Amino acid sequence: MPFYPVDSQNLRWAFIFIISFIGMALCYDFQHIIFLPPYSTHIWRQADCTSQALNYFQDGMHFFSPRIHNAMYVDSNTVGEFPILYYISAALYHWFGPEDWILRSVDLSLYFLGLYALFIMAGKILNDRLTALCFSLLFFSSPLLVFYGFNFLPNIPALGLVFIAWLFFYYYYERRTVGWFYAMNAVFLLAGLLKPTILLSWVAVGCLWLWELLRYDVLRKETHTKKLFQNRLTAAPAFLIVIISVAAWRIWSDAYNTAHVTNGYFLATIMPIWNATPKEKEWIYHFVTTFWSKSYFWAPTHFAILFLSVANLIFYKKQNSALFAIFILTMLGVASYGLLWFQQFAVHDYYATDAFIFPAASFLLFFSLLKNNTGLLKNWAFRTALVLFLIGNIIHTRWEIVDHRYKNGEEWTFGWNTSMYKTKALRQFLANNGVSPKDTVISFSDPTPNVTLYMMNVRGYTDWNLRREPLNKWMKEHIEQKNCKYIVLTKWADPIVDTLKMYLPAPMAHFDSIYLYRASAYKFK
């Protein structure tokens, strides 16, 4: 199969790619990160993911009954993206135990395969393995991609699948065999089920198909090349399958969440720029360009992307027609995505993941331009500069990942009790005191729905559920009507906890500075 190298030269370069990937992973401290539970940036969303996997494992592996630890409004049942990664991880839990490294490794595997596919495709297009290596590993030297690529969110695995789909599209482009086209759509489908907005480059391919359907020749300059879609109607079912499947999942997930009164928990709507006030627009733009931007790439890389994009537009007459069309459509798609989800970029850095297809398309098109019109790719000075450029990005990412997001991880975690991260010991402490995963617990102080509940592996409620209700009224309802059996105080210096301590006797037990109480001992006003 062409996805895998078969001759000695390909095997040698595959080995170089794997060793480079492993070396970079060690540089990013993956050997220590692998054992961490949800931690650092967006721990809230991380815990949502791990919670679904653990609940699959504990509740019988019913695929169409995803749930989280928070009891929400009616029960714990809710769903966002297609939960196949959580389900696979839960299946592996039955072999290796419910370990956080499993979901991290599942996500990283798809990220790795996507980068490898990018390496193979670039090597074939550019006929230069070193440039292809540096190009593909550039996307393993973005702090954002590296952090979430070895994490629990589905965004980076979805991007990895897109890169695999690109490789399959290249094989289709080269051979015009319908099997590769359907394989491409199958991979795009899985990526779209994980994150529908990741389908921007699939939409670009669809636009090329529509263009040829209207009798325009996409490959107008490649006169020796057959039309991109020789039998245009053969491609139609593949596009329809993707559209219908993604839409069907969205309809089912909306119905599931409506039935369990959890609609809106997982954000699934646009938040466009035109709904933001002028002050909000200014603040979001400033925040993204001054704070989040260093998480996207090293500063010189941002300038390189801008330069290459402008150069690609200036020398459009010398470009490969199909690559240039995809570059333009991807640029327009990413711009539209940025406008439609503009307000999300303020606090959700991982929303930028979908936009990384544009720098990938821009770099690849520019390198293709150099290969077809100059001998620069073989120039030793250029190749040395390319390697040094990659090293600069790696150093920057090392600093962002290790020194910023992990060493100073508590900055991102609402400042709660670090003993929560001792998940195995904490869960054993609870079990020793009669608390089971099926028991309902009230956990204060935790402004997220799932973090402390997941760390303890119990169902229940947190500050997030309290909202603005009077505390005593809320406690009475949840203890007497919703059968909460225990109260856990995880953050001692907190206004809510200070109030609760007035109505609680001495704790029944404690783990470090985490205190366990029987809910029945709570003294109402």
Side-chain angles (χ1 to χ4, degrees):
M1 178 153 175
F3 185 77
Y4 299 97
V6 289
D7 60 42
S8 59
Q9 185 182 24
N10 283 338
L11 285 171
R12 184 167 61 253
W13 276 101
F15 179 76
I16 292 172
F17 178 89
I18 293 169
I19 291 299
S20 300
F21 183 91
I22 293 173
M24 291 169 70
L26 293 175
C27 176
Y28 302 146
D29 209 28
F30 277 19
Q31 67 274 22
H32 296 120
I33 293 170
I34 188 171
F35 298 110
L36 290 176
Y39 188 84
S40 190
T41 322
H42 291 295
I43 190 173
W44 176 328
R45 188 64 173 89
Q46 294 179 49
D48 290 343
C49 302
T50 55
S51 180
Q52 290 178 76
L54 186 54
N55 275 287
Y56 269 133
F57 170 70
Q58 295 176 156
D59 293 343
M61 301 295 293
H62 304 295
F63 185 80
F64 289 102
S65 297
R67 63 191 308 173
I68 56 179
H69 281 82
N70 193 287
M72 304 294 282
Y73 306 105
V74 175
D75 54 31
S76 299
N77 294 56
T78 188
V79 69
E81 61 277 347
F82 192 63
I84 187 64
L85 300 181
Y86 313 135
Y87 195 80
I88 291 171
S89 298
L92 293 172
Y93 289 173
H94 285 89
W95 289 85
F96 302 103
E99 303 284 350
D100 289 311
W101 63 263
I102 291 175
L103 181 51
R104 284 188 186 273
S105 299
V106 168
D107 285 7
L108 182 65
S109 297
L110 287 176
Y111 184 24
F112 168 80
L113 289 174
L115 294 176
Y116 183 65
L118 207 58
F119 168 63
I120 294 297
M121 180 183 68
K124 291 181 176 295
I125 292 174
L126 304 176
N127 196 27
D128 186 279
R129 305 299 175 80
L130 180 62
T131 304
L133 181 73
C134 293
F135 162 70
S136 57
L137 291 181
L138 178 65
F139 296 90
F140 193 46
S141 62
S142 156
L144 180 76
L145 297 186
V146 171
F147 179 78
Y148 290 110
F150 197 39
N151 208 283
F152 308 104
L153 278 66
N155 301 65
I156 309 302
L159 181 65
L161 288 167
V162 165
F163 289 153
I164 295 172
W166 282 14
L167 176 63
F168 290 171
F169 178 72
Y170 172 78
Y171 286 137
Y172 169 75
Y173 173 82
E174 284 291 296
R175 305 173 188 202
R176 302 299 195 273
T177 51
V178 73
W180 284 116
F181 185 77
Y182 273 80
M184 175 203 76
N185 277 277
V187 178
F188 266 129
L189 170 58
L190 183 53
L193 288 170
L194 292 176
K195 300 302 294 184
T197 50
I198 204 71
L199 291 177
L200 292 171
S201 52
W202 174 82
V203 172
V205 175
C207 290
L208 297 185
W209 175 73
L210 285 173
W211 193 250
E212 285 201 348
L213 194 65
L214 296 173
R215 306 299 179 184
Y216 293 98
D217 186 2
V218 175
L219 307 178
R220 64 192 183 282
K221 292 190 302 180
E222 285 76 32
T223 53
H224 62 283
T225 308
K226 301 175 183 177
K227 287 184 178 294
L228 188 57
F229 301 98
Q230 308 218 10
N231 188 337
R232 299 176 186 88
L233 295 181
T234 304
F239 287 121
L240 287 174
I241 289 169
V242 174
I243 294 169
I244 292 170
S245 299
V246 173
W249 173 254
R250 176 63 188 272
I251 292 168
W252 183 88
S253 61
D254 282 350
Y256 183 80
N257 289 332
T258 299
H260 296 281
V261 199
T262 54
N263 254 348
Y265 177 69
F266 288 104
L267 295 174
T269 57
I270 62 173
M271 295 185 69
I273 189 171
W274 49 86
N275 286 349
T277 65
K279 282 190 176 180
E280 287 172 336
K281 292 174 187 175
E282 182 181 353
W283 178 79
I284 293 170
Y285 175 79
H286 175 77
F287 195 73
V288 168
T289 54
T290 60
F291 185 75
W292 285 134
S293 61
K294 62 181 178 290
S295 294
Y296 303 150
F297 275 118
W298 184 35
T301 308
H302 289 285
F303 291 110
I305 293 168
L306 178 62
F307 170 78
L308 300 187
S309 301
V310 172
N312 285 334
L313 293 172
I314 292 173
F315 297 105
Y316 72 95
K317 291 184 178 180
K318 297 184 177 182
Q319 303 281 13
N320 173 283
S321 297
L323 274 179
F324 184 72
I326 290 173
F327 164 75
I328 292 295
L329 291 168
T330 299
M331 180 170 61
L332 294 174
V334 167
S336 301
Y337 171 72
L339 294 174
L340 289 171
W341 274 270
F342 177 78
Q343 296 177 66
Q344 293 287 14
F345 291 97
V347 294
H348 298 95
D349 59 336
Y350 55 85
Y351 267 72
T353 301
D354 299 22
F356 275 79
I357 59 170
F358 175 68
S362 186
F363 270 100
L364 187 60
L365 181 64
F366 184 76
F367 287 144
S368 174
L369 177 70
L370 294 182
K371 176 235 176 183
N372 293 331
N373 296 278
T374 73
L376 202 56
L377 295 188
K378 303 297 183 182
N379 181 279
W380 69 268
F382 176 83
R383 294 161 78 83
T384 302
L386 202 58
V387 172
L388 292 175
F389 179 70
L390 177 61
I391 291 172
N393 278 276
I394 293 170
I395 293 171
H396 172 73
T397 299
R398 156 79 190 190
W399 178 84
E400 275 287 317
I401 295 297
V402 177
D403 296 334
H404 185 50
R405 297 216 182 196
Y406 280 106
K407 272 189 181 176
N408 300 317
E410 278 77 25
E411 294 178 10
W412 307 90
T413 53
F414 304 102
W416 53 51
N417 199 323
T418 54
S419 294
M420 295 302 303
Y421 301 120
K422 304 173 185 177
T423 52
K424 287 185 179 180
L426 177 58
R427 291 170 185 176
Q428 188 59 54
F429 157 76
L430 294 171
N432 292 344
N433 285 277
V435 184
S436 79
K438 299 296 183 182
D439 286 330
T440 306
V441 172
I442 296 172
S443 175
F444 286 113
S445 170
D446 179 359
T448 76
N450 286 301
V451 172
T452 56
L453 296 175
Y454 170 75
M455 301 295 194
M456 295 185 289
N457 189 23
V458 292
R459 302 211 188 284
Y461 304 91
T462 68
D463 306 27
W464 180 84
N465 301 91
L466 176 62
R467 305 296 172 134
R468 296 183 179 180
E469 291 187 51
L471 180 60
N472 262 289
K473 177 185 175 184
W474 186 89
M475 292 293 290
K476 186 177 179 67
E477 175 190 346
H478 285 73
I479 292 172
E480 294 182 351
Q481 298 176 27
K482 298 193 176 181
N483 198 30
C484 292
K485 293 184 178 181
Y486 300 96
I487 298 170
V488 178
L489 302 185
T490 61
K491 185 178 177 183
W492 205 238
D494 182 87
I496 294 178
V497 171
D498 289 341
T499 303
L500 285 172
K501 285 188 289 185
M502 296 167 57
Y503 305 105
L504 287 169
M508 58 183 287
H510 70 91
F511 174 79
D512 293 343
S513 56
I514 297 172
Y515 295 87
L516 175 66
Y517 301 82
R518 291 194 188 281
S520 58
Y522 187 86
K523 299 174 183 178
F524 299 105
K525 278 185 179 179

